[in-house]
Amino acid sequence: MASKKGVAPTHLLFADDILDFCKGNLHSLQNLKTMLNVYEKASGQCVNYAKRKFYYGGATYSRSIAIANYLGMERSLFSDKYLGIQSKPGIVRHIHVRQVVEKIMDKLAGWKGKLLSFQARLVLIRTVIASYVIHSMVVYKWPCNIIKQVERAIRNFLWSGDAEKRKFFTVLYDNLCCSRREGVLGLRRLIDVNKAFLMKLWISIRDSDKTWARFLRAKYFKLNGVLIDYKLGSTVFLGIRWVYDFVQQHTRSIIGDSANTSLFFDNWLGDFSIAKRLGITSKGPNEFKAKDLDSKGVFSVKSAKDAIRENAETLPVATLFSRPIVHPTLSVQHWKVWAKKCCASDDNVINKIGGWFPSMFRLCRRDCETLSHITWKCRFAKRIWAWATRSFNLQPREDLVASYKAAKGCSRMIKDLWLVANLAITTEL
């Protein structure tokens, strides 16, 4: 039915979904019915024509009615869903991903966010919400305004428990999207997730020798092997063109024997060093592709996500409160205090509103309410830290890293208890 440079797919199979391609003339329709009859005899199963449907275009309405009567199937019109993905040609717009966005909004609205802790809401976002967008992002390049809309709802739910309500003290969503060892919550920017999955799709198309992949390569490339530069009525091509240059920059070709196809590299140091490291002694006719996004040379979505974003510096204090010995709730609470942007102390409120008002800490009524005074300088805080000093026979410090170093030379159990005690006291204060 459809042919690109001699490549003509005949069918698509996925789980229990079968999509056959044929022309609309009588001879092709007869062959289709014959094929189904042969299948029934060979398998002992009966084809349920009431559940089957066909798509037809390019001719008159009366002709489609005649085909429906001949096949005994119902005609369906594009757009339609295939494997849960809305199938429409052209640029991806809000209508393509509207159902995904509405599903996320409904899920956030259904959760009793105000009854959940900050850490519980964070876990729900990581596990549940992230799974909703994946199914669509592996195919489509999402519009930027839709991504911002979803991220805004996620941010509001994380901080206030309500997707529609913004809390006064928050941190920008982009500033949350780094690893925990970099001092952030470990979320992912949706645009990076979208780009990483489209890179996986493009590599599958580029490196696969299956009919569907060869058909798309023939469709997206010119005869000279260059990616087309004109508009194409394809929803998938926009995402492919978006990630094409990035993937090509992180892919190298290796010429060698087929025996070396399973060997990859650590770093690229030049063609001679590559061949020597891989043990290639003679160049053969085969060309192998390897990806330098990962140290093993094998593409993965995780390595693509790490390559897309700029790696921030690993913070020593973040490596402490992100250890497995620290409960996640305690770790997140200390992060909120340590960030000095989420704690509604008087000094933060004054900086936020840009004004000034009288400040007095309620526990001691001797000094202004600042974060440093609450957690360290107040006489009430000093009594708590003095108790910790007597219990552990260690001298605490205001800086978490310096305080942890006070336990140098102690056993691992004492170090862990001392770390948790420092985090718990700071959080409770």
Side-chain angles (χ1 to χ4, degrees):
M1 181 193 68
S3 177
K4 291 290 183 181
K5 301 182 180 65
V7 182
T10 58
H11 61 276
L12 293 176
L13 303 176
F14 186 86
D16 59 346
D17 289 310
I18 303 175
L19 184 64
D20 297 313
F21 300 101
C22 70
K23 295 182 178 181
N25 54 39
L26 180 61
H27 180 69
S28 298
L29 297 177
Q30 289 175 344
N31 288 339
L32 177 61
K33 294 197 69 173
T34 302
M35 179 189 70
L36 296 177
N37 293 331
V38 171
Y39 171 78
E40 289 179 337
K41 294 178 181 179
S43 64
Q45 297 177 333
C46 295
V47 176
N48 188 350
Y49 286 89
K51 297 178 63 175
R52 293 176 65 94
K53 54 186 176 181
F54 71 96
Y55 305 95
Y56 182 76
T60 61
Y61 176 75
S62 59
R63 177 62 177 167
S64 64
I65 297 297
I67 294 177
N69 294 331
Y70 180 79
L71 295 178
M73 302 178 187
E74 178 186 358
R75 183 191 180 189
S76 181
L77 301 175
F78 280 109
S79 64
D80 198 3
K81 278 188 174 181
Y82 182 67
L83 304 179
I85 301 296
Q86 193 76 17
S87 302
K88 273 195 173 183
I91 300 175
V92 180
R93 302 190 185 277
H94 183 273
I95 191 173
H96 292 80
V97 295
R98 180 184 59 189
Q99 293 181 348
V100 181
V101 176
E102 291 176 352
K103 191 174 183 180
I104 293 175
M105 296 300 183
D106 293 341
K107 181 62 70 174
L108 293 177
W111 287 335
K112 301 297 182 181
K114 294 182 179 180
L115 303 179
L116 301 173
S117 64
F118 186 89
Q119 171 63 20
R121 294 195 293 267
L122 179 63
V123 172
L124 286 175
I125 292 172
R126 285 176 176 172
T127 56
V128 181
I129 300 301
S131 63
Y132 286 159
V133 300
I134 288 176
H135 198 51
S136 177
M137 284 187 170
V138 296
V139 180
Y140 293 153
K141 177 184 180 295
W142 276 35
C144 293
N145 60 333
I146 302 300
I147 289 179
K148 291 180 180 179
Q149 178 183 349
V150 176
E151 289 182 344
R152 187 185 305 113
I154 292 175
R155 182 201 62 194
N156 292 341
F157 175 79
L158 178 63
W159 292 103
S160 66
D162 189 347
E164 302 295 334
K165 182 179 179 181
R166 180 177 180 180
K167 197 175 180 181
F168 190 71
F169 280 93
T170 61
V171 177
L172 293 176
Y173 188 84
D174 288 349
N175 294 339
L176 304 177
C177 299
C178 294
S179 65
R180 296 182 62 190
R181 300 183 67 85
E182 296 171 355
V184 199
L185 300 182
L187 296 176
R188 294 286 187 179
R189 297 173 64 229
L190 293 183
I191 191 171
D192 293 343
V193 175
N194 194 188
K195 192 171 186 178
F197 278 111
L198 289 177
M199 289 166 59
K200 179 181 180 180
L201 174 64
W202 165 234
I203 289 179
S204 299
I205 295 174
R206 187 193 64 183
D207 297 343
S208 176
D209 196 43
K210 296 181 180 180
T211 304
W212 69 271
R214 291 190 290 112
F215 177 83
L216 292 179
R217 286 200 301 269
K219 183 177 181 180
Y220 296 153
F221 284 87
K222 300 179 181 178
L223 292 176
N224 57 2
V226 179
L227 191 70
I228 61 176
D229 53 0
Y230 52 84
K231 291 184 179 180
L232 187 67
S234 170
T235 312
V236 179
F237 177 69
L238 297 174
I240 299 300
R241 188 168 58 183
W242 183 39
V243 302
Y244 175 78
D245 292 337
F246 188 88
V247 174
Q248 295 302 109
Q249 293 172 2
H250 291 80
T251 304
R252 305 293 185 270
S253 298
I254 303 175
I255 308 299
D257 297 329
S258 60
N260 296 297
T261 56
S262 60
L263 301 176
F264 297 99
F265 55 91
D266 295 323
N267 291 298
W268 292 101
L269 302 177
D271 293 341
F272 178 76
S273 300
I274 295 170
K276 185 177 180 180
R277 187 181 296 113
L278 295 177
I280 299 175
T281 55
S282 62
K283 292 185 178 181
N286 299 323
E287 180 178 337
F288 309 111
K289 298 288 185 182
K291 297 85 183 174
D292 61 359
L293 295 177
D294 186 73
S295 59
K296 296 181 180 180
V298 180
F299 176 83
S300 65
V301 175
K302 181 180 181 300
S303 62
K305 293 176 183 177
D306 295 335
I308 291 171
R309 69 176 184 87
E310 296 180 0
N311 292 326
E313 181 182 359
T314 301
L315 301 177
V317 67
T319 60
L320 290 179
F321 64 72
S322 62
R323 289 185 176 183
I325 193 64
V326 181
H327 193 275
T329 300
L330 183 61
S331 175
V332 170
Q333 292 297 331
H334 188 272
W335 171 83
K336 292 170 66 177
V337 176
W338 167 78
K340 297 184 179 181
K341 297 179 182 179
C342 318
C343 183
S345 57
D346 286 350
D347 56 338
N348 283 342
V349 174
I350 292 172
N351 293 332
K352 186 78 172 180
I353 66 177
W356 183 88
F357 58 84
S359 174
M360 183 65 67
F361 187 46
R362 294 180 179 85
L363 289 180
C364 66
R365 297 188 179 278
R366 290 187 176 183
D367 207 341
C368 298
E369 183 181 288
T370 63
L371 196 60
S372 178
H373 183 78
I374 295 172
T375 59
W376 187 255
K377 297 178 181 179
C378 174
R379 61 179 182 178
F380 182 81
K382 289 181 179 179
R383 291 174 57 188
I384 302 298
W385 288 116
W387 169 84
T389 301
R390 294 191 303 268
S391 300
F392 287 88
N393 196 23
L394 297 172
Q395 186 62 41
R397 297 288 188 273
E398 184 176 5
D399 180 67
L400 180 63
V401 177
S403 184
Y404 181 74
K405 289 181 179 179
K408 185 178 181 180
C410 299
S411 65
R412 170 56 59 185
M413 182 181 66
I414 297 298
K415 288 182 178 180
D416 292 340
L417 288 174
W418 178 244
L419 173 62
V420 173
N422 277 263
L423 294 173
I425 291 173
T426 303
T427 302
E428 291 301 321
L429 286 172

